[in-house]
Each structure stands twice: as structure tokens, then as C-alpha cells.
Amino acid sequence: MFIEDVEWQLRQQPQHAMIAIFRRRTRVVVALLIVLLLYLLVGLVPEHRDTLFGFTYVRTSYDWSKQPLEYPISEYVPLPTGQPLPLPKVQYAFTADTSPQGVAREEVLAERRAEVKAAFVKSWTSYKNVGFGYDELMPVSGKGTDSPGFGGYGATLVDSLSTLWIMGLKDEFYEAAAAAVTINWVDTRDTSINFFETTIRHLGGLLGAYDLSLETALLEKAIELGDMLYMAYDTPNHMPPFWFDFDDAKDGKQVAGYHDPSAAVTSSSLEFTRLAQLTGDNKYYDVINRVTLVLDEWQNQTALPGMWPTYFDFAQLQLNSDSSFTLGALADSLYEYLPKTYAILGGLEPIYEKLYRGAMDTVIKNLLFRPMTPNQDDILFTGNVYVSSDVGPRLTAEGQHLACFVGGMFGLGSKLFNIPEHLEIGEKITRGCVWAYDAMPTGIMPEIFSLFKCDTLEPCDWDEATWESEANTQLTKGFKTARDPRYLLRPEAIESVFLMYRMTGNSEYQEMAWRMFQAIRKATETDLAFSSIQSVREVDTVKSDSMESFWLAETLRYFYLIFSSPDLIDLDEYVLNTEAHPLKRPM
């Protein structure tokens, strides 16, 4: 219509036609300017893009630090004050070996380190090319995917920051950091997020990356997230729920859960303490201290005094409503964080030592078991206990890959609290996990399995008849079943192997680690990266098209560190959170 109208005016009224063309052109230009202005207002203003410390920084469009509390706290419990205590050394006193044998050994370690790094670079490059910004790479189909409850915040992106720095991939680190500081924590399709996973992966990832790089923009992004996660404690009794619901948090309607995994609602002490230390804001420490005091109150009132049950009723503050106890899935990091929080507080809060000692006494008496094996292997595992009113504690000799962290935890407790026998226990648990790796055709231990247990922690005779009648005899002798034969690229076994090497200086652990890495690489590698597998019992593995962020954040990081110089992430300078993010210890 516009062209036809102009043609008519040119014939009938040429002088007016030119005016009309000018007016129409003016209107078009004005319209375009208005569209451009609206685009700028809608597209850019909500993200609040700034240049901050050299980064293009996107501020979260909702300022959680200004959100009024429904249940305000009148006075915050402050961080412990004073000079950090001179804690015992955690790390073995390594010395440089300049002999020809020492030089040759370093060459071998450098080669191994390079192969681990190559596996990481392959995984990271594929994630960057086809999954960047998503939570995970699908390593078979070559797609990006977001994990339910993770907010779509790029879990692999944030979780990998510290590994990029540690491996010396500084260009890739700064590229990833530049993307991480543009995350808008309320720009998500999820109505709620997993409080625990967001804390350990995202908050821990940002804090660890800051402690390594001192890039202040990363700390600013961590503070934004910390202020949001802090609102999880705005409940009637200040205990956090499993799910952090955005609308409930804004409306003051959050309540703690009646049946939440104990680890999920108690494992924020490291991250929130470090955030308090870096910001000087005691509100973060106050909320985790309240949880710790509840643990202290209930430690000897549960069905298995000394430990806490697998599930908590935090809504009613009743921690004796569940009768199951484990160091494995759902409870693990509750116990892991006891010695670690003690360390990051510089030993100034003795309650964490008290809780650790009480819990481990109960673990040794009730959860530890020695498996019955033909060679009477000097190894230990932790099982699961159910307490009934008529029988009392009943131990199930079931092992979990997740529970392999326990070896390292016992080692750390031994060093920090001067309990030599705990180091011995930790070594036996760690060697037990390595034994389980070696026992499978792929050289990798299953996710969940059961064993025959000795009556005590001392050696016992092998019973061939019992094994033949009760076990799946296709498994290595000593195993009863492998009810979940998957391998999910988990880090817990190499975590304890790494920690034991750093604590004892015994190079045998490096050889164990190399054997484990080769087995994992062979069984899980795809064209793009590495994938979870459906069964460790089949050498011709079936890939599950899943690569969780902890593969790059933990598993490969621990493999790299065990072949690196001991002064790279010195255990007397850093505490590793449950996602292996290095948080600086106060000196």
C-alpha cells in the first residue's frame, strides 16, 4: 500500500508527494528508533551489565540481600575470633629427590599428569563446543542438558573453574570466569532449586575459584548467590529445607522438611563460613552455627547415640524419627564436614572436634566391618545400620562407592585431632575401595554391592561353602552381590587415595591411582568425552550418555593432583569442600 500511495501522489500532486515521502521516511526512522530503545530497555536493563574488575558483569535482577526476613534474627553469632590455633600438620613432609631415580620418577609422574590433563581438556572442549552454559554435556549424543533442580546455572561451567586454574589452563579459566559472572540467579525455568547441590557446586565453585585466582568479580557473584541461599534459613526455626523455593522465600512461607536427607540440610558449613570470612558478614556463619548446635543437642539422643540418622525431621526438630544410619548416600557430607569445618575455622570452635570424635567412636563400633576374603585381605568397609527396638543395631554389609570418601575423612581427623589409629583405619578403608576396583572386570568398583563380613575387625577364615551357596559366584570371591553395577564417574575412591598419599607420602597410592585412571579411561571414553556406564561387570561397556559436573570438578582434579607436586593445593593451606573446591584456610 505504501508504494502504491506514493505513486498516485507523484502523478497528481508532485509537491505534496515529496512531503509525504519525507514524512513517511521520518516516521519509519522514528519507529525504528523506538524499537531499538525498547530492545535496549527490555534486553539490557534487567541484567544490569557493568564492567567490574575487568569483567562484563551481569548483576542478578533480584537483590536478595534486600529481601526482608519473615523470621528476623536479632543478633548474629559471630565468627570465632582470635589467632588461628597452630594445628597439627595434615600433609606429609615431602622432600625433593634429586637423585637419578627421583628425576626419572618425576618424568613418569609428568607423563601421567599430562594424560589426565588430556582427558580433562577433551571433556572440557566438548562441553564448551556443544554444551556450554548447560549443566552437563551428554557425551554420547553430543548435546547439552540441564539437571532438574540445578537452575540451569551451568553446573559444569562453575564446577570446572578451579580445575582449569589448577591445570594451568588460564585462558580457558578466564573465558569460563567471564561466562560465570554473567549468571543471573533468578533467570531460571525452575521454581525451586536443590539447596545442597547449589551450595556445594556453585557457591563452593565460585569461592574456590576466587581463593585461587583472587578475581574479585567471582567473589561478587558468590556473594549474590550466598545472599539468595541464605534465605533458605528464613524458616520458623531457621533450619533449611531440601528445596529452595523462590516464591516461598519471597513470601516468607518456607518451612524445613519433615523427612529430608541429613547431608543435604547440614552440609553448608564450609561454604558459608568461608563466605563470612571473606565478607566479614556474620549472618552467613550464624545460620550454619544454629544447625551445628542442633547436631550437638541430638548427637546422643538418636537411636544410635553418637551418630545422626539418614533422614531428619527439621520441621519439628525431631532427629530421632528415623532408625537408619549410614556414611553413604544421603548422610555422607554431614560427617565429612566436621573435621573440615574445624580446620577452616582455625581450630577456634571445638564443637566440631567433639562431634567428630563422638560420631567416629560409634562408626567404629557399629558400622565398620572386615570382609571375608580368601586371602584375608587387611581391608575395611563401612556398612549400613538399622536399629530396632527388639534387636538393637543390625549391620548390613553393603558397600557404596559414595562411602569411599570415609578413608580420607578418617585420615584428616587423625591428623587434626591427633588420633593415630584413625589414620590406620582410613588406610584400610581406602585400600578396601581399591580392592573393590581391582575385583571387577573393568577395574572399577560398582555403585552398590554387598560382601560377606567377618564377625570382628580381625581376620577370619574363608568359607567356600557359604560363598557358593549365597553369592553370585560370577563375582570375585568375597563379593555377595553387585546390585547396582553402574559407574557414574564418581570421585570418592580417588579422593581418599589422593588424601592418603598426601598424608602418608606413600607412593604406592600413586600406583593405585594410575591403575584406576587407566581403567576408568578405557571403560568410559567416548568420541566426545567420558560417560557413565551401566555395568562395571561387562568389559564391553554400555555408555549411559551422562557426564555429571563432578567428573571435571572432582574425579579428574584428584587424579591430576596425586601426580603433581605436593605444594599444589597444600592440605595445610586449603580445605577441599565435598565438590573438591579448595577453600583457603586462615593462617
Side-chain angles (χ1 to χ4, degrees):
M1 293 297 293
F2 173 72
I3 295 175
E4 294 165 353
D5 185 40
V6 170
E7 184 182 0
W8 178 85
Q9 290 193 58
L10 282 170
R11 287 198 311 267
Q12 302 298 324
Q13 298 174 298
Q15 72 279 15
H16 297 306
M18 295 309 296
I19 296 172
I21 291 172
F22 175 77
R23 287 174 175 169
R24 284 180 171 83
R25 285 179 176 172
T26 302
R27 287 198 293 268
V28 169
V29 171
V30 170
L32 289 173
L33 288 172
I34 292 172
V35 170
L36 180 60
L37 181 62
L38 288 172
Y39 170 79
L40 291 171
L41 288 172
V42 173
L44 298 181
V45 172
E47 289 191 332
H48 303 294
R49 288 184 181 266
D50 298 319
T51 300
L52 187 66
F53 307 106
F55 290 91
T56 299
Y57 188 92
V58 175
R59 296 189 182 278
T60 295
S61 51
Y62 187 86
D63 189 347
W64 287 96
S65 69
K66 297 179 180 178
Q67 168 70 28
L69 294 174
E70 184 71 16
Y71 304 97
I73 297 170
S74 59
E75 185 176 357
Y76 296 135
V77 173
L79 279 164
T81 57
Q83 190 71 14
L85 302 181
L87 299 180
K89 292 291 185 182
V90 171
Q91 189 153 292
Y92 178 79
F94 291 91
T95 57
D97 185 355
T98 57
S99 69
Q101 294 84 358
V103 172
R105 176 64 177 172
E106 178 50 40
E107 291 175 355
V108 170
L109 296 179
E111 292 172 0
R112 294 176 177 181
R113 206 162 52 238
E115 293 198 37
V116 175
K117 184 175 181 178
F120 177 89
V121 169
K122 177 177 182 176
S123 302
W124 174 257
T125 302
S126 293
Y127 170 73
K128 185 173 69 172
N129 289 341
V130 300
F132 199 71
Y134 286 95
D135 287 328
E136 297 174 16
L137 167 72
M138 300 175 71
V140 177
S141 57
K143 302 174 183 177
T145 184
D146 286 331
S147 305
F150 279 39
Y153 299 145
T156 295
L157 168 69
V158 180
D159 233 359
S160 300
L161 287 170
S162 297
T163 312
L164 290 166
W165 184 274
I166 287 167
M167 291 188 178
L169 299 167
K170 298 300 172 62
D171 289 344
E172 291 83 354
F173 171 84
Y174 279 103
E175 181 183 16
V181 298
T182 66
I183 296 173
N184 184 339
W185 301 115
V186 296
D187 183 13
T188 173
R189 289 174 294 180
D190 292 344
T191 59
S192 60
I193 56 172
N194 186 312
F195 172 70
F196 168 70
E197 296 290 355
T198 307
T199 298
I200 65 169
R201 301 193 197 210
H202 296 86
L203 183 57
L206 291 166
L207 291 171
Y210 169 74
D211 270 344
L212 291 173
S213 69
L214 299 181
E215 290 293 347
T216 310
L218 294 169
L219 177 58
E220 289 294 319
K221 186 54 65 175
I223 293 170
E224 283 186 3
L225 179 57
D227 285 336
M228 184 175 82
L229 295 174
Y230 174 80
M231 295 303 299
Y233 294 90
D234 187 28
T235 63
N237 58 16
H238 300 294
M239 297 296 110
F242 181 86
W243 293 103
F244 176 76
D245 186 287
F246 300 108
D247 288 339
D248 284 352
K250 291 177 181 178
D251 296 339
K253 296 180 179 179
Q254 289 185 116
V255 293
Y258 290 88
H259 191 71
D260 284 344
S262 55
V265 291
T266 61
S267 303
S268 302
S269 55
L270 272 182
E271 297 80 5
F272 274 63
T273 295
R274 187 62 186 141
L275 192 57
Q277 291 172 339
L278 289 169
T279 62
D281 194 336
N282 284 315
K283 73 177 186 180
Y284 305 114
Y285 179 74
D286 175 89
V287 288
I288 64 96
N289 182 69
R290 292 172 186 271
V291 173
T292 302
L293 292 178
V294 171
L295 294 178
D296 184 40
E297 178 185 354
W298 280 92
Q299 182 168 29
N300 294 310
Q301 298 186 60
T302 65
L304 191 64
M307 292 186 68
W308 301 271
T310 308
Y311 291 95
F312 280 4
D313 178 356
F314 255 179
Q316 301 182 94
L317 286 180
Q318 295 294 320
L319 273 58
N320 59 354
S321 58
D322 178 31
S323 298
S324 63
F325 297 82
T326 184
L327 292 179
L330 307 176
D332 45 7
S333 52
L334 184 166
Y335 300 92
E336 176 191 355
Y337 272 24
L338 298 177
K340 290 183 174 182
T341 306
Y342 178 86
I344 206 166
L345 286 168
L348 295 174
E349 176 46 82
I351 194 172
Y352 292 99
E353 178 178 0
K354 172 179 177 290
L355 297 178
Y356 170 84
R357 285 180 177 271
M360 292 310 106
D361 285 348
T362 299
V363 167
I364 293 169
K365 293 174 185 176
N366 295 277
L367 269 72
L368 280 188
F369 69 91
R370 181 171 185 149
M372 179 184 72
T373 66
N375 298 324
Q376 296 187 341
D377 299 273
D378 193 11
I379 56 178
L380 296 173
F381 289 88
T382 63
N384 308 316
V385 164
Y386 184 83
V387 181
S388 60
S389 57
D390 54 341
V391 178
R394 185 175 70 254
L395 173 64
T396 300
E398 184 172 81
Q400 300 181 32
H401 196 292
L402 273 167
C404 282
F405 85 93
V406 175
M409 177 188 65
F410 265 103
L412 184 59
S414 167
K415 294 289 187 176
L416 288 173
F417 306 131
N418 192 25
I419 315 174
E421 58 270 27
H422 281 200
L423 183 61
E424 182 181 353
I425 290 171
E427 289 206 72
K428 290 182 179 182
I429 293 171
T430 302
R431 290 176 181 272
C433 290
V434 175
W435 173 85
Y437 263 71
D438 291 336
M440 291 293 143
T442 54
I444 308 171
M445 75 184 294
E447 179 77 354
I448 302 175
F449 53 93
S450 60
L451 302 162
F452 292 93
K453 68 180 181 67
C454 297
D455 292 334
T456 70
L457 299 183
E458 298 301 316
C460 62
D461 293 333
W462 172 251
D463 188 335
E464 184 82 12
T466 298
W467 179 73
E468 288 181 349
S469 64
E470 297 182 17
N472 178 348
T473 54
Q474 293 181 341
L475 297 171
T476 298
K477 290 184 177 181
F479 280 85
K480 192 173 185 179
T481 66
R483 72 176 179 90
D484 187 346
R486 297 175 299 162
Y487 175 61
L488 305 180
L489 303 177
R490 288 203 185 278
E492 293 79 17
I494 182 56
E495 172 185 353
S496 284
V497 171
F498 160 73
L499 290 172
M500 282 301 154
Y501 167 67
R502 286 289 189 90
M503 293 176 190
T504 67
N506 187 345
S507 61
E508 285 184 32
Y509 288 109
Q510 290 179 312
E511 300 309 307
M512 298 175 194
W514 181 237
R515 197 163 66 242
M516 293 162 65
F517 174 74
Q518 290 178 297
I520 292 170
R521 180 174 58 182
K522 181 179 180 180
T524 66
E525 189 165 13
T526 71
D527 290 340
L528 289 172
F530 299 82
S531 173
S532 299
I533 57 176
Q534 292 185 10
S535 176
V536 298
R537 296 181 56 198
E538 306 294 334
V539 175
D540 188 11
T541 57
V542 178
K543 311 299 190 296
S544 304
D545 204 13
S546 172
M547 187 181 81
E548 283 212 48
S549 66
F550 53 65
W551 167 247
L552 291 95
E554 298 185 75
T555 310
L556 290 176
R557 186 180 304 174
Y558 285 125
F559 275 120
Y560 186 81
L561 285 172
I562 197 171
F563 302 126
S564 299
S565 172
D567 60 4
L568 181 60
I569 314 298
D570 190 315
L571 298 182
D572 292 307
E573 297 178 7
Y574 293 92
V575 177
L576 300 171
N577 88 331
T578 194
E579 200 74 4
H581 296 304
L583 305 178
K584 195 76 173 174
R585 286 174 55 176
M587 305 303 291

